[in-house]
Amino acid sequence: MSDNLENSSNMGERSKTELFVKLLTSNHHRIYAFILFMVPNDSDADDLMQETSSILWEKFAQFVPGTDFAAWAMTIAKYRVLNSRKKKKLTVPLSNDVIDLLAGESEKVLDESNERFAALRKCLAKLDKREMLFVKMRYKDGFSARIIGQRIGASAKVVYRSESKIIGLLARCIHRKLAMEGAR
Amino acid sequence: MNKYDKNNFHDLQLLIYDALNGTISAERLASLEEILRNDPESRRYYIEYLSAHAGLRNIFSVDQASDASVPDDGFDKGLWHDLAEYEKSAPAIQIEKPAEKPVVLKLTKPEKTKYKVSKLSIYSVVISAAAILLVVLMVIVKPVRPTVAALTDSMNAEWMNVKDNPAPGDLFRQGDELALTRGIAEITFDDGAVAIVEAPVVFKIESPKSMFVTAGKMTAIVSEYATGFTVNTPSASIVDLGTEFGVSVEGDGLCSLHMFKGKANLISEANGNKRTSQVVVEYEAKSVNFTTGLIKDVTLDERGFVRRFNAENGTVWRGQNLSVANILAGGNGLDFEASYKMLSLESGQYSGVFNWQDRYGTGQYTVVTSNPYVDGVFVPDNDGQGAKVSSSGHVFADCPDTQAYFRYDIAMSVKIPLNPQSYQYNTLAPEEQMVRLAGSSNMPSRLVEPAGMNPQLNAVRSNVLLHANSGVTLDLERIRSVCPGVSITKFHSLFGMGEMAPEGGETDIWILVDGQRKFVRQNVRKGEVLDIEVELSEKDRFLTLMVTDSGPNSNNPTETLHANYDWGLFVNPRLELE
């Protein structure tokens, strides 16, 4: 440990809480995405994100300000994922070897989080009216496929498949944009 | 052209989407695993697909539901028509055939043994494709994240990970994870409980009657009809039993519960240890250790939590009483110390200069316009009609017939030099010198105390000097706006004669509520210290403090002035709140 780095256990409670909230919120997306790669289910990932946040706060005294919070958090998150899997708490449990593979290969995507956000916004702008409506109803309003279907006069199944497809469209659009930017 | 240039991942993305929604079967999960295990490009696509999904969630998360929802009336009819047409021409839906082994679908998460199903249920599921479709639809129709709470007030609030700063009236959805980095916010849950969170705090809206606090502080205000509201933390759950309490989740996972009113059930949720619970009652505080689950007593942090706030006037109430000296000096009462100020009995205006001219009251009540919490001032006297003691016309019929003489304005936070013997005694009376010197900031000083109390160096006290004959009326209704929803239950103060006043003074002290006498003590002499308590109710509007001379009355200036040395001093006058 570097001499000039202060252990967070030496800080006052309020400044410690402020630092934690700042670090957690600024890294929340990366930690959440990392969990989601290992646990590809919204409900499981939400639970694990909450559990991980609590553990991070509990162990925050061990964190050295100035070091990589996200890396520290992801180490803990992976441990929580494996622990939940072992305790059969997961709705969609991938095998340990697959979890290891995914965790190991996620770094590049997570490191590009900001660029990916920017690309996602641009790609959203390219969606047609119908696709954008699906996205908003699903992600903004939190409507189920059935309710969206009722509103637009489509079957839940069509809505469900369309949603799946639209995420794919966006994923590929982001991929292309980042590839183009990398080629410049 | 690689796989990304066209959708070569159609099957994979359906597998991923089924996994995301919890509708994936064991077989399809096995297929997904096999693909991920063996194909690096598919792994890459899987990660990028989920990254896009997480990005969408992030971009659209915690948008104000009121703004976000698509109102029925405002729905784009043309688009509706287009979509209906699209539906007609959409490719036929391929209903998934029953797998060789049954499809097991989950409506909700809890059971952990979901892949173990009985043969009976297997057969019942595989009876027909229609049955499968029905189950698929049941899964898909699962309501997603209903709105369960609303932001009802906030002050200087800044949120992180929220696209737009939520404004009062915006709704929160079940599962919303929120981080308040600045200010204070009030959230009202659908079941009626109110949570006040103070930055920095991280929390999650769990349901219409529960929340999870990851880190930071909050106060729960739960009315009788909302009983059962639950605050979950990493180490404990607090189930309300009709109450008001503060919860703090500190680093190291230490959760503490501070009961301000009523009672609550504290359930230790520590790591794998046996759950224990305790009922915690008013004025108790407990902490729960995250690792051991041990519940222990801690000191009640009475001032550590925001209990109420008023965004309009910027006031924050942390359970303290209101300082009457601070209110009379132009504050809102929440700061204990009052600035050194004088309130003129003649004009009702403030000044920093002490006036010590001999004067007589005119029988008029003077409204104070520069302080919303002070109604007015007057020189008490009674020429047969009583004394007017409020701007609403309340008259104190039993007001004594005084000499109507006064010399000093009402003074707040009077300070004197540490060593009274060091005064320059020339032509001024000692009390005048004291008050004059009080304004000198480079002089060691302390607040004046009434004779009879042990002087304390730099004692933190706030006081109000009401030399006979003077009276001041507070507007309780306006003072209540400082802390909406909080009751003013009592006026409480010490009272005595100023310690530096010469011997011989005798004074009368009166406390009135809406012109009615609630407390009186006559012939108070130097050395006596009174502890005054006056109960107040919600319907009381005006509180009057009044100090008069004692003795036979006459306006003949040649007679002895009975107000001489009647240096009435209120020490720590306060309005107690509940």
Side-chain angles (χ1 to χ4, degrees), chain B residues 10 89 133 141-142 150 203-204 298 300 364 408 440 473 507:
Chain B
H10 180 261
S89 58
L133 179 60
V141 303
K142 176 179 71 172
F203 62 101
K204 182 175 179 179
V298 292
L300 181 73
Q364 298 298 307
Y408 308 107
S440 177
T473 297
T507 196

Side-chain angles (χ1 to χ4, degrees), chain B residues 249-374:
Chain B
V249 181
E250 298 174 12
D252 309 327
L254 191 74
C255 163
S256 56
L257 165 65
H258 300 260
M259 293 300 305
F260 305 126
K261 283 183 188 175
K263 59 185 179 179
N265 201 4
L266 174 66
I267 303 159
S268 163
E269 302 272 11
N271 276 341
N273 293 333
K274 190 180 171 187
R275 283 162 58 117
T276 54
S277 72
Q278 282 187 19
V279 173
V280 183
V281 300
E282 198 163 304
Y283 304 128
E284 280 188 342
K286 306 272 183 186
S287 72
V288 181
N289 184 287
F290 182 84
T291 310
T292 63
L294 193 68
I295 299 176
K296 69 172 189 178
D297 292 334
V298 292
T299 306
L300 181 73
D301 189 357
E302 285 185 271
R303 306 284 181 263
F305 295 84
V306 176
R307 306 270 300 274
R308 300 287 188 285
F309 65 95
N310 186 336
E312 282 181 19
N313 56 24
T315 53
V316 177
W317 184 57
R318 294 178 186 275
Q320 70 269 50
N321 295 317
L322 295 179
S323 162
V324 170
N326 180 265
I327 290 171
L328 286 172
N332 57 24
L334 291 168
D335 299 319
F336 191 73
E337 287 202 70
S339 55
Y340 173 63
K341 271 191 180 169
M342 316 300 159
L343 179 55
S344 167
L345 283 164
E346 289 172 304
S347 66
Q349 299 295 312
Y350 283 98
S351 78
V353 180
F354 197 77
N355 190 342
W356 56 83
Q357 293 171 334
D358 289 338
R359 288 164 287 176
Y360 286 89
T362 59
Q364 298 298 307
Y365 181 84
T366 305
V367 173
V368 173
T369 55
S370 56
N371 185 336
Y373 308 124
V374 179

Side-chain angles (χ1 to χ4, degrees), chain B residues 486-505:
Chain B
V486 178
S487 299
I488 299 173
T489 58
K490 191 185 286 181
F491 168 76
H492 194 175
S493 180
L494 296 177
F495 180 83
M497 300 282 269
E499 62 184 321
M500 296 312 299
E503 297 290 341

Side-chain angles (χ1 to χ4, degrees), chain A residues 13-14 16-18 20-21 24-26 28-29 32-33 36-37 40-44 46-47 49-50 53-55 57-58 61 88-95 97-98 101-102 105-106 108-109 116-117 120-121 124 129-130 132-133 135-146 151-158 160-165 167-168 170-172 174-176, chain B residues 4 6-7 13-14 17-24 29 33 36-37 43-60 63 67-72 75-76 79-80 83-84 86-87 93-94 96 106 109 112 114-115 136-137 140-142 144 160-161 173 177 179-181 198-202 204 206 212 214-216 234 249-253 290-291:
Chain A
E13 188 61 34
R14 184 175 173 84
K16 194 168 75 172
T17 313
E18 280 173 351
F20 176 75
V21 171
L24 181 68
T25 50
S26 56
H28 187 276
H29 175 70
Y32 178 79
L36 191 66
F37 299 159
N41 175 266
D42 281 335
S43 175
D44 286 347
D46 286 348
D47 288 350
M49 184 66 214
Q50 179 172 303
S53 301
S54 297
I55 300 282
W57 183 223
E58 185 216 342
K88 300 189 185 302
K89 286 182 179 174
L90 300 179
T91 312
V92 182
L94 295 175
S95 305
D97 65 313
V98 176
L101 269 175
L102 294 166
E105 292 177 15
S106 62
K108 183 172 182 297
V109 169
R116 286 185 167 273
F117 265 124
L120 175 56
R121 289 183 190 282
L124 276 171
K129 208 171 176 183
R130 172 184 152 274
M132 194 60 195
L133 184 73
V135 168
K136 283 187 173 174
M137 284 181 153
R138 166 75 172 80
Y139 289 96
K140 195 170 185 180
D141 302 337
F143 290 148
S144 66
R146 182 182 65 90
R151 286 185 171 239
I152 65 172
S155 74
K157 187 86 174 174
V158 163
Y160 186 84
R161 293 206 165 209
S162 297
E163 287 172 352
S164 158
K165 191 177 138 194
I167 301 170
L170 292 169
R172 291 193 297 283
I174 294 166
H175 180 89
R176 281 195 301 276
Chain B
Y4 277 87
K6 54 183 182 178
N7 187 8
Q13 71 191 20
L14 262 182
Y17 202 65
D18 284 351
L20 280 174
N21 289 281
T23 59
I24 193 167
L29 178 59
E33 283 203 300
L36 295 176
R37 192 177 282 119
R43 276 204 298 279
R44 171 81 182 172
Y45 186 79
Y46 165 95
I47 286 172
E48 296 195 354
Y49 186 92
L50 288 176
S51 174
H53 170 70
L56 286 167
R57 278 183 50 130
N58 192 295
I59 284 176
F60 289 105
D63 272 358
D67 170 51
S69 32
V70 180
D72 290 335
F75 193 74
D76 183 336
L79 180 63
W80 193 95
L83 291 167
Y86 165 81
E87 172 71 359
I93 300 166
Q94 297 296 314
E96 289 172 33
K106 281 176 60 62
K109 191 193 157 198
K112 308 304 173 193
K114 54 205 166 290
Y115 296 104
V136 169
L137 285 174
I140 298 172
V141 303
K142 176 179 71 172
V144 181
M160 274 193 85
N161 284 359
R173 295 187 183 283
E177 290 179 63
L180 185 69
T181 54
E198 181 185 12
V201 61
V202 182
K204 182 175 179 179
E206 288 192 322
F212 186 96
T214 304
V249 181
E250 298 174 12
D252 309 327
F290 182 84
T291 310

